[in-house]
């Protein structure tokens, strides 16, 4: 839970194909019923006009949330730099006994076709369940990654990146191996719960006899439009969670988050990982009963930021640079030496940076009456040994927040670059 900003919620929309705009042909579920009584296409949460063609006369146009569309094909896979979605599913698969490279290639081909269709607001090719029949794409993204074990099972050990070596052990880990790692990883996000579940069921059905679910986790965030203006998200501790995320507008953003092409300065990964990224996934339980017994002042000292607005304890607003040297009248550091925001800063960790894109989770109440809730931590970086690992080592040694969280599951996945038109995700690896 590093002190780095999360992409703000906003609509992500794309204009439809020109033929559809001109003729109305090829209308999919993204142009069907939306909010009852709607009279026109609304503006997105960030103020951009939605560009879909007008719906048929007998149907109301989609709301801005339903009309949001992310693109499947591109330089990078979707679900990395897209704004946070309100609903998420994380699921890991293991290849079935006897399944190898050929079966994996066929599976990724099926999954890619399904993801492309659903992200465009279309039904899946085979036996669509109709769960999302009345909704638009709702900013659906589907992202695919490979775990360390995938390469041995498919005979591709020589193509396994060094950066995918297992994460080191951390003293605060209490990991459940059954809910960690996996051959394949899928991240699903959408701004409508039924659209996200529809994608989850389609992906699970597509797995067929080639792979079986190893673990699944479900999460959520604040819905777009729930606040008067886009703002940094809050976690289940009530804190503004993440203010210092790298931003795509920064000149070194791609260098920090995405794998460079072979032959580029500093390139060490195999060619098939060009424009990809590495995802660290951690299920972090929040000990909310203990946390909520603290006063607001004590909570702020643990984090190093004001609870109300996320501003550093050294003063200013959320975006104000934290003054790590400022002291109070008694000579005590205003931002405590073990505050989470101080320890996790990139400039306190050799410049280590990662793009955090998490979901909160709540899986009910344990037998002892405490909530099973917390953060599905997902971070993206070009190299986890230079991104996640040094920060987590530092947190492991003295973060004030560590008393109130427990790391219960973990995974590291190589997420290849985006698929070009006519390609499926991972094709450059599986057909190399």
């Amino acid at each position: 839970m590093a002190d780095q900003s999360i992409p703000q919620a906003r609509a992500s929309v794309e204009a439809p194909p020109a033929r559809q705009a001109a003729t109305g042909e090829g209308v999919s579920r993204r142009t069907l019923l939306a909010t009852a009584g709607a009279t026109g296409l609304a503006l997105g949460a960030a103020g951009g006009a939605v560009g879909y063609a007008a719906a048929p006369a007998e149907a109301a146009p989609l709301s801005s949330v339903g009309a949001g569309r992310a693109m499947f094909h591109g330089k990078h896979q979707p679900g990395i730099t897209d704004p946070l979605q309100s609903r998420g599913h994380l699921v890991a698969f293991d290849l079935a006994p006897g399944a190898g490279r050929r079966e994996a290639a066929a599976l990724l081909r099926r999954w890619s076709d399904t993801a492309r269709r659903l992200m465009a607001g279309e039904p899946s090719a085979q036996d669509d369940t109709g769960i999302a029949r009345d909704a638009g794409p709702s900013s659906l993204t589907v992202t695919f990654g490979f775990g360390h074990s995938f390469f041995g099972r498919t005979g591709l050990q020589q193509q396994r990146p060094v950066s995918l070596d297992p994460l080191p052990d951390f003293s605060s880990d209490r990991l459940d191996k059954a809910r960690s790692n996996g051959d394949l990883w899928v991240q699903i996000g959408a701004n409508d719960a039924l659209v996200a579940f529809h994608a989850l069921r389609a992906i699970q059905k597509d797995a067929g006899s080639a792979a079986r679910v190893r673990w699944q986790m479900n999460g959520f965030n604040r819905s777009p439009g729930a606040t008067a203006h886009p703002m940094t998200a809050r976690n289940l501790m009530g804190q503004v969670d993440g203010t210092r995320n790298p931003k795509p507008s920064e000149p070194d953003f791609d260098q920090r988050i995405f794998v460079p092409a072979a032959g580029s300065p500093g390139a060490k990964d195999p060619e098939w990982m060009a424009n990809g990224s590495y995802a660290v996934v951690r299920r972090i339980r929040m000990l909310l009963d203990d946390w909520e017994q603290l006063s607001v002042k004590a909570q702020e000292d643990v984090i190093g930021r004001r609870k109300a607005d996320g501003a550093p304890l050294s003063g200013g607003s959320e975006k104000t640079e934290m003054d790590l040297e400022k002291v109070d009248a008694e000579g005590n550091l205003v931002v405590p030496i073990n505050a989470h925001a101080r320890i996790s800063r990139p400039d306190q960790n050799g410049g280590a940076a990662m793009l955090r894109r998490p979901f909160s989770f709540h899986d009910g109440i344990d037998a002892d009456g405490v909530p099973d809730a917390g953060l599905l931590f997902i971070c993206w970086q070009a190299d986890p040994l230079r991104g996640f690992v040094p920060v987590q080592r530092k947190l492991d040694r003295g973060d004030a927040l560590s008393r109130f969280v427990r790391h219960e599951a973990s995974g590291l996945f190589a997420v290849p670059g985006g698929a070009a038109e006519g390609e499926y995700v991972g094709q450059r690896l599986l057909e190399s």
Side-chain angles (χ1 to χ4, degrees):
M1 292 164 36
D3 181 42
Q4 298 177 335
S5 174
I6 305 165
Q8 294 179 339
R10 63 181 185 273
S12 176
V13 297
E14 298 288 342
R19 183 173 180 231
Q20 205 167 314
T23 68
E25 295 178 9
V27 174
S28 66
R29 67 176 169 83
R30 70 174 177 269
T31 55
L32 297 180
L33 296 175
T35 307
T39 58
L41 293 180
L43 293 180
V50 175
Y52 287 119
E58 66 273 13
L62 288 170
S63 72
S64 60
V65 171
R69 178 182 174 187
M71 304 306 294
F72 175 75
H73 294 294
K75 183 177 181 180
H76 310 296
Q77 285 198 61
I80 301 176
T81 59
D82 298 88
L84 282 178
Q85 297 122 311
S86 60
R87 178 64 61 173
H89 299 292
L90 309 180
V91 56
F93 294 82
D94 286 335
L95 291 173
R101 182 173 177 177
R102 182 178 65 180
E103 290 78 12
L107 175 57
L108 266 297
R109 189 179 294 111
R110 290 195 300 274
W111 274 352
S112 295
D113 181 64
T114 294
R116 178 186 59 81
R117 288 173 176 271
L118 299 188
M119 286 175 57
E122 301 168 1
S124 54
Q126 299 293 329
D127 301 321
D128 188 86
T129 61
I131 296 169
R133 187 187 307 274
D134 307 314
S138 301
S139 300
L140 173 69
T141 60
V142 186
T143 317
F144 303 103
F146 304 117
H148 186 274
S149 56
F150 175 83
F151 297 84
R153 293 180 184 272
T154 55
L156 290 165
Q157 295 94 325
Q158 297 301 314
Q159 291 290 337
R160 183 168 56 211
V162 173
S163 298
L164 200 56
D165 285 353
L167 297 172
D169 294 331
F170 301 103
S171 63
S172 60
D173 284 354
R174 301 291 184 270
L175 303 182
D176 178 356
K177 292 184 178 180
R179 292 194 294 180
S180 299
N181 301 311
D183 294 343
L184 293 155
W185 175 67
V186 185
Q187 173 192 253
I188 296 167
N191 283 331
D192 178 78
L194 286 180
V195 169
F197 181 79
H198 179 232
L200 175 66
R201 287 295 297 137
I203 291 296
Q204 290 174 337
K205 288 171 63 178
D206 277 349
S209 61
R212 57 194 177 196
V213 173
R214 178 180 177 88
W215 55 259
Q216 181 190 319
M217 301 175 188
N218 310 309
F220 58 90
N221 286 304
R222 179 176 276 156
S223 297
T227 57
H229 54 83
M231 60 188 299
T232 308
R234 288 186 185 271
N235 60 34
L236 298 189
M237 289 177 162
Q239 300 292 146
V240 173
D241 188 355
T243 299
R244 294 179 57 85
N245 239 4
K247 297 175 176 58
S249 58
E250 295 171 357
D252 61 349
F253 178 84
D254 281 4
Q255 177 184 342
R256 292 180 171 194
I257 307 305
F258 295 111
V259 173
S264 301
K268 64 175 183 177
D269 290 90
E271 188 174 355
W272 66 267
M273 269 298 290
N275 302 315
S277 189
Y278 290 92
V280 174
V281 181
R282 309 275 282 184
R283 186 184 195 269
I284 303 177
R285 176 86 164 265
M286 292 178 172
L287 308 181
L288 294 178
D289 283 354
D290 294 339
W291 175 256
E292 290 164 3
Q293 290 178 10
L294 298 180
S295 67
V296 171
K297 173 63 168 61
Q299 291 178 354
E300 291 178 339
D301 283 344
V302 167
I303 301 299
R305 290 182 175 273
R306 292 201 301 256
K307 190 170 185 177
D309 58 6
L313 296 184
S314 54
S317 64
E318 181 190 351
K319 304 299 183 181
T320 301
E321 187 68 20
M322 184 175 289
D323 183 353
L324 300 180
E325 305 302 322
K326 187 173 182 178
V327 296
D328 61 20
E330 287 73 39
N332 299 312
L333 288 168
V334 174
V335 179
I337 196 68
N338 62 348
H340 180 76
R342 173 191 287 270
I343 292 177
S344 63
R345 287 169 57 94
D347 58 10
Q348 301 295 301
N349 294 279
M354 50 193 170
L355 177 68
R356 298 174 66 258
R357 198 175 181 278
F359 293 94
S360 293
F361 73 87
H362 179 220
D363 292 335
I365 305 297
D366 278 356
D368 55 2
V370 301
D372 182 6
L375 193 72
L376 299 181
F377 174 90
I378 307 164
C379 71
W380 301 90
Q381 58 260 285
D383 182 353
L385 292 179
R386 298 180 62 187
F388 172 78
V389 171
V391 175
Q392 186 57 34
R393 278 179 172 155
K394 189 83 170 288
L395 294 173
D396 212 35
R397 292 196 296 266
D399 178 20
L401 187 61
S402 62
R403 291 177 46 215
F404 304 97
V405 297
R406 183 186 303 144
H407 292 245
E408 297 184 335
S410 179
L412 171 62
F413 303 95
V415 176
E421 294 280 352
E423 287 186 348
Y424 62 88
V425 174
Q427 182 170 336
R428 280 162 277 179
L429 166 64
L430 292 164
E431 297 187 11
S432 59

